[in-house]
Amino acid sequence: MLNDKLMDEILDDLQGTCQSLEDVLDSHNMELDDLSMKDLGYIDDSIFVCDCCGWWYELGEINPEIENAVVCMNCEEDWE
């Protein structure tokens, strides 16, 4: 697993943006293959990418009203 400092940097770089995970990893001179399943699970347990707008958000911003998708609170009207 990545060290805590590097993982925090990756999460900070993703959150509030629409960058891909691959782009953020590239900025840290890394590739997706450098992440373990545990690393990927930690990212999934920390933030999410909205299926509608493509931005990364904190888990508390998942819209519970939307089924079968992970959508942020801001995209409720756009998703319908």
Side-chain angles (χ1 to χ4, degrees), residues 13-73:
D13 290 350
L14 284 170
Q15 190 169 345
T17 72
C18 61
Q19 296 182 81
S20 70
L21 177 56
E22 290 84 0
D23 288 342
V24 169
L25 291 175
D26 187 53
S27 71
H28 290 275
N29 298 314
M30 298 176 64
E31 295 180 1
L32 196 54
D33 291 340
D34 295 328
L35 299 181
S36 69
M37 291 304 291
K38 193 171 186 175
D39 293 327
L40 294 171
Y42 186 82
I43 291 169
D44 285 343
D45 290 343
S46 301
I47 59 177
F48 75 98
V49 64
C50 177
D51 289 337
C52 185
C53 67
W55 283 72
W56 291 88
Y57 292 94
E58 292 179 2
L59 295 178
E61 297 179 78
I62 293 175
N63 189 324
E65 303 296 317
I66 308 292
E67 294 183 21
N68 302 319
V70 181
V71 177
C72 71
M73 298 289 198

Side-chain angles (χ1 to χ4, degrees), residues 4-16:
D4 291 345
K5 182 179 185 282
L6 182 54
M7 181 59 78
D8 287 344
E9 289 176 14
I10 290 169
L11 291 173
D12 287 345
D13 290 350
L14 284 170
Q15 190 169 345

